[in-house]
Amino acid sequence: MVYQNFSQGAQWLPFTPNRSFGQDPRVFVAADGMYFTTYDGRRVIDGISSLWCVGAGHNRREINEAIKHQLDTLDYSTAFNASNDRAFEAAERITALAPGDLNKVLFCSSGSEAADTSLKMALAYHRARGEGHRTVFIGRERGYHGVGFGGMSVGGIPANRKMFGSALLPRVDHLSFTHDPAHAYYNGEPESDHDLLVELEQRILPLHDPSNVAAIIVEPVAGSAGWYVPPKGYLKRLREICDRHGILLIFDEVITGFGRMGTAFGADFYGVVPDMLNFAKCVTNGVIPMGGVICRQSVYDAVMDAHANSPAHAIELFHGYTYSGHPVACAAAIATLNVLRDEELFQRAAQIGKLLGDAMHNRLKGLPHVISIRTLGLAGAVELSSLPGLVGKRAYDVYLECFHQGVLVRSAGENLVLAPAYIVNAEQIAQMVDVLAGAIRKHA
Ligand SMILES: Cc1ncc(COP(=O)(O)O)c(C=O)c1O
């Protein structure tokens, strides 16, 4: 019998209005290419790569086969004091793609774990170099680094923080949100009338003293908040400031990694090499949970060098997960990287992204309540003004309307986001943007 108890099922859905969901369940039972099938037999186009994960599209035979083969060969092996061949191979493939001397990967299973791993690595690095006093972390307003206590603390989305205040890490500060309402419409990198990093240099760093700061963590483009692109030159300048003060720079590339910007990483797009780079999502095309932190050789070396005189059995970093480098996840990652390479999907994302950007600007600008459109790479957001006292309702209603019209979009605050798989075609982009336009008009 087909299971259909979705309205009052036993599941508590994450980041979802559960009461509303119960009245209008949105449940998928199959997927292929760009499309889902719902439990009630409808076809829905996946306009968001299932939350930025499915870069190569759904149901990729090559990835599925690699997973099946791996299950029949080595299903799982412990990650501590031993490893597996796939984990080494996946790490080599990932670091080969990464810029600069980002040479070492520590695997985990999610973006949240990657965020906390990178913060802990930063503390370990400074301590290893005799600077254990560097414990201040700096994130950014509207940043998202998952839901662990570390990632939540450096994150800057107010709703994610407000219930958990007393459990947030101490000694955390935040850079200002980068969005400039005077430049609310952009198709590419925005301009800004202000130098946003003056605040870092003249207020935040002097307040804590730069010698106490361990790391600054930012997403190259703020994804979860609603695709807010930093102004031209921002990340390069951030790198320079970090270098000047011995502060580590962490890029959280859980969304921007593996092709979304039309390059392997956001770091490549911006020509800035961070000290650590967090990834998840697209690395396995979403099919098996995996995350990780790639760090520069110098970060790894510092932690190892501190143990130069330790006995051979001494562990250098007391951190890791049961599923770090899970062989099945690593097999999925290797197969995913093959598909991305063989089908030149990063390049395709760059090309088709221009089409998405143009379509969103041409079709959505000027519609009722639209106050901003931001596109770059293969992603874009349209922002609506809020109904008085009901922040987010307008976008949520538009999201529901799109779903009922056969297009899965994402609502984030008052933003509607499109971020389709890199295999999307022109016709599908037109359909997504048309449905979004119709839904915005309907809820005017
Ligand atoms: C930049 C960034 N970091 C971390 C995370 C958290 O990842 P996960 O949900 O896999 O824990 C996300 C999720 O969207 C993200 O966008």
Side-chain angles (χ1 to χ4, degrees):
M1 214 187 83
V2 181
Y3 187 91
Q4 293 227 335
N5 184 19
F6 307 128
S7 296
Q8 286 159 20
Q11 194 193 183
W12 185 340
L13 281 90
F15 279 117
T16 300
N18 279 250
R19 293 154 304 136
S20 138
F21 184 90
Q23 285 158 20
D24 178 17
R26 296 170 293 284
V27 178
F28 303 118
V29 295
D32 191 52
M34 289 295 299
Y35 295 93
F36 291 113
T37 307
T38 64
Y39 77 101
D40 47 356
R42 296 173 52 240
R43 216 158 93 106
V44 173
I45 190 163
D46 185 354
I48 55 168
S49 313
S50 280
L51 218 49
W52 317 88
C53 287
V54 187
H58 289 276
N59 194 22
R60 296 304 309 248
R61 191 186 47 77
E62 306 87 330
I63 303 170
N64 298 353
E65 290 304 323
I67 290 168
K68 289 177 204 165
H69 178 73
Q70 188 58 41
L71 282 171
D72 287 338
T73 312
L74 174 67
D75 52 355
Y76 176 64
S77 65
T78 176
F80 299 172
N81 271 333
S83 188
N84 68 80
D85 54 343
R86 294 284 96 133
F88 276 96
E89 191 182 343
E92 191 171 308
R93 292 289 305 276
I94 290 166
T95 54
L97 264 186
D101 64 341
L102 286 159
N103 282 344
K104 289 278 178 187
V105 181
L106 200 155
F107 285 116
C108 54
S109 300
S110 69
S112 297
E113 290 176 349
D116 284 16
T117 297
S118 65
L119 300 178
K120 289 174 75 174
M121 258 185 200
L123 294 178
Y125 165 83
H126 290 301
R127 193 183 157 99
R129 298 173 72 248
E131 293 197 297
H133 53 274
R134 284 191 183 260
T135 56
V136 174
F137 290 116
I138 298 173
R140 193 167 61 191
E141 288 174 346
R142 307 278 190 110
Y144 183 64
H145 305 292
V147 293
F149 283 109
M152 181 175 60
S153 302
V154 290
I157 296 183
N160 294 351
R161 298 162 52 88
K162 83 171 179 196
M163 268 190 207
F164 312 107
S166 62
L168 294 173
L169 294 184
R171 311 200 79 197
V172 171
D173 214 327
H174 289 80
L175 301 165
S176 286
F177 185 37
T178 57
H179 186 62
D180 181 351
H183 298 276
Y185 293 84
Y186 50 81
N187 194 1
E189 288 184 82
E191 304 288 339
S192 178
D193 300 335
H194 314 285
D195 181 351
L196 288 164
L197 292 172
V198 167
E199 176 202 33
L200 175 64
E201 290 185 296
Q202 297 189 0
R203 187 183 69 76
I204 298 177
L205 290 180
L207 176 67
H208 299 283
D209 199 279
S211 68
N212 288 319
V213 179
I216 297 181
I217 179 167
V218 292
E219 302 157 86
V221 177
S224 290
W227 209 239
Y228 291 97
V229 181
K232 284 182 186 152
Y234 177 94
L235 291 172
K236 276 214 162 99
R237 215 160 102 58
L238 191 57
R239 175 75 273 183
E240 284 159 19
I241 296 169
C242 286
D243 284 344
R244 209 174 309 138
H245 298 292
I247 298 168
L248 294 174
L249 178 61
I250 305 169
F251 277 0
D252 187 335
E253 298 232 26
V254 165
I255 282 177
T256 51
F258 300 103
R260 182 58 58 188
M261 316 276 296
T263 48
F265 295 100
D268 300 303
F269 181 89
Y270 286 107
V272 175
V273 182
D275 298 297
M276 285 176 248
L277 190 157
N278 302 352
F279 66 87
K281 296 192 187 261
C282 267
V283 66
T284 56
N285 207 37
V287 297
I288 304 264
M290 179 191 255
V293 177
I294 322 174
C295 73
R296 294 182 85 161
Q297 188 68 41
S298 50
V299 172
Y300 177 80
D301 286 347
V303 177
M304 296 303 134
D305 290 352
H307 282 81
N309 298 319
S310 302
H313 72 277
I315 292 169
E316 299 91 1
L317 182 66
F318 280 84
H319 179 75
Y321 303 88
T322 299
Y323 297 134
S324 287
H326 192 297
V328 181
C330 290
I334 295 162
T336 299
L337 296 181
N338 289 343
V339 171
L340 293 171
R341 177 197 60 204
D342 295 347
E343 298 182 9
E344 300 185 346
L345 288 179
F346 299 165
Q347 295 87 322
R348 188 178 160 77
Q351 285 158 10
I352 203 91
K354 294 202 176 75
L355 224 68
L356 177 73
D358 290 347
M360 289 186 74
H361 284 272
N362 293 339
R363 302 278 290 115
L364 305 176
K365 195 165 181 189
L367 293 185
H369 312 298
V370 168
I371 56 170
S372 169
I373 301 174
R374 307 175 299 276
T375 56
L376 179 71
L378 182 51
V382 53
E383 187 167 353
L384 308 176
S385 58
S386 295
L387 286 162
L390 289 171
V391 175
K393 173 155 175 30
R394 193 168 261 151
Y396 185 63
D397 288 345
V398 170
Y399 154 78
L400 286 179
E401 178 66 26
C402 287
F403 189 86
H404 291 127
Q405 299 300 325
V407 178
L408 180 68
V409 304
R410 169 143 178 81
S411 63
E414 214 64 271
N415 292 292
L416 281 312
V417 178
L418 284 175
Y422 316 153
I423 58 164
V424 70
N425 65 32
E427 202 181 316
Q428 290 158 341
I429 285 179
Q431 180 198 350
M432 290 174 198
V433 177
D434 281 357
V435 165
L436 183 53
I440 292 173
R441 263 197 221 95
K442 182 161 174 184
H443 289 277

